[in-house]
Amino acid sequence: MSRQTADQPTAKRSWRRGEPENSPAKVLREETPESLWVNVGGIEFGGPRFVVIAGPCAVEGVEQMEVAASSVRSAGAQMLRGGAFKPRTSPYAFQGMGEPGIRILREAGRRHGLPVVAEVMEIAQIPLMLEQVDVLQVGARNMQNFSLLRALSRVRRPVLLKRGFCATVQEWFLAAEYLLDGGNEQVILCERGIRTFETQLRNTLDLSAVAYAKLHTRLPVIVDPSHATGNSDLVIPMALAAAACGADGLLLEVHPKPDQALCDGAQALTPARFQELMDRLAPVLAAVGRSLGSRPLPASAIHSR
Ligand code: PEP
Ligand code: MN
């Protein structure tokens, strides 16, 4: 598949421009047609292959991460997720394991040949993250933390930029513009649901923003159906819908024992349901001219930058 076909459509309507300083020029395809693919140890975001990142919301211990990594890898995930610095609404909720958690994530990834993704909450955590993590996640609550974005624009490591739950598409694109403007072009956009008048669901998954971002930006776009719904029964249908609408990949929560999870258990898939999702993804991807990315590289190939 060439870079100009299904996965790289040409934008038909131009970006609705405001003041020139409010145009995310480096992000927009209309300004710079060349697509930006993001390569993580040979796994490519934005190309013809679909990428699945899976793992628990939070790292809780060595055994939990071992079971999580081995089960997501055997089901076909290419990357492992797990937060160690958790932005929680309540100060009394589990805040994550911190630095030991990052090391547990890294080791589990290494044992199973999976590059790892974790959230970086503040500038002071960047040096540790650069040592241990392959992709730096900026969470929804930090999407407009401009000093964090500026600092991450100066590193040479991919950034997974989640859409803030109250952010417009333009604000999301302008947050990405901070990264590109500062020199970091390795940016993956992630739609994770926005806050609407709806209360039955944790968030409202804005798949139209995914199609819009694919059309108008140069960046890979992935979807997090776990935070978007907050309900494990809805994760598989929304993951399939994301694949059908042209997303480049998924970020999903999978926990060996969701009922015992310290964080976000209600939206976590069991390993068995994750396997079911992976089985059902293949025909949906085939229908839109994509395929699942190849299996992960051996551990020795990771961190070979
Ligand atoms: C997460 O991925 O665990 C997370 C906290 O996501 P978000 O920032 O989208 O709420
Ligand atoms: Mn979570």
Side-chain angles (χ1 to χ4, degrees):
M1 185 178 296
S2 93
R3 290 187 177 214
Q4 288 305 321
T5 53
D7 59 318
Q8 306 295 340
T10 306
K12 291 196 180 68
R13 280 183 296 128
S14 68
W15 173 261
R16 190 158 46 82
R17 273 166 236 266
E19 298 301 311
E21 73 267 23
N22 286 333
S23 177
K26 296 187 170 75
V27 162
L28 291 180
R29 189 179 295 288
E30 282 109 310
E31 305 284 341
T32 318
E34 185 205 350
S35 296
L36 292 168
W37 293 5
V38 175
N39 192 308
V40 182
I43 298 163
E44 205 152 46
F45 289 83
R49 306 264 184 169
F50 192 80
V51 181
V52 178
I53 307 169
C57 178
V59 177
E60 298 168 9
V62 174
E63 196 193 321
Q64 172 235 21
M65 285 310 300
E66 172 57 27
V67 178
S70 115
S71 55
V72 303
R73 180 183 163 130
S74 67
Q78 296 104 318
M79 292 181 62
L80 181 65
R81 65 153 286 152
F85 300 103
K86 296 303 303 177
R88 304 304 303 280
T89 301
S90 166
Y92 308 119
F94 176 57
Q95 305 283 307
M97 290 183 71
E99 181 169 344
I102 289 293
R103 295 183 189 281
I104 291 170
L105 171 72
R106 164 93 266 147
E107 279 312 306
R110 220 191 286 278
R111 278 195 302 277
H112 294 279
L114 296 167
V116 297
V117 186
E119 176 164 353
V120 54
M121 277 181 65
E122 53 187 80
I123 293 173
Q125 293 160 359
I126 294 176
L128 168 72
M129 296 306 230
L130 288 177
E131 255 174 46
Q132 305 291 336
V133 168
D134 301 286
V135 175
L136 308 168
Q137 177 174 323
V138 174
R141 289 156 193 81
N142 261 325
M143 188 205 84
Q144 286 189 313
N145 180 338
F146 299 115
S147 46
L148 180 63
L149 295 175
R150 280 275 186 229
L152 292 172
S153 77
R154 293 189 283 269
V155 307
R156 293 294 165 266
R157 190 66 53 87
V159 173
L160 195 164
L161 180 65
K162 290 194 141 190
R163 179 180 180 186
F165 43 70
C166 292
T168 64
V169 162
Q170 186 183 31
E171 288 161 349
W172 186 28
F173 291 1
L174 284 167
E177 187 81 7
Y178 269 85
L179 297 166
L180 268 63
D181 185 52
N184 189 349
E185 294 196 323
Q186 299 178 82
V187 178
I188 303 160
L189 295 173
C190 180
E191 160 62 34
R192 46 79 72 207
I194 53 173
R195 192 166 278 184
T196 66
F197 54 79
E198 171 52 46
T199 54
Q200 201 64 27
L201 302 156
R202 183 173 181 180
N203 289 290
T204 296
L205 179 57
D206 187 2
L207 287 181
S208 52
V210 174
Y212 191 86
K214 282 299 293 172
L215 193 61
H216 286 282
T217 78
R218 309 164 61 208
L219 303 173
V221 184
I222 68 170
V223 169
D224 171 352
S226 308
H227 292 89
T229 60
N231 178 341
S232 61
D233 290 335
L234 304 176
V235 167
I236 292 180
M238 290 301 96
L240 298 175
C245 83
D248 294 305
L250 295 168
L251 175 73
L252 289 151
E253 290 187 347
V254 177
H255 193 289
K257 294 179 181 154
D259 52 340
Q260 290 170 27
L262 297 180
C263 183
D264 284 349
Q267 66 194 34
L269 294 179
T270 59
R273 289 179 89 191
F274 178 62
Q275 177 72 65
E276 179 197 334
L277 165 63
M278 296 301 279
D279 294 342
R280 291 174 62 187
L281 257 181
V284 174
L285 289 171
V288 292
R290 307 290 282 273
S291 60
L292 265 176
S294 50
R295 296 181 69 78
L297 299 173
S300 57
I302 302 174
H303 258 333
S304 58
R305 286 171 297 273

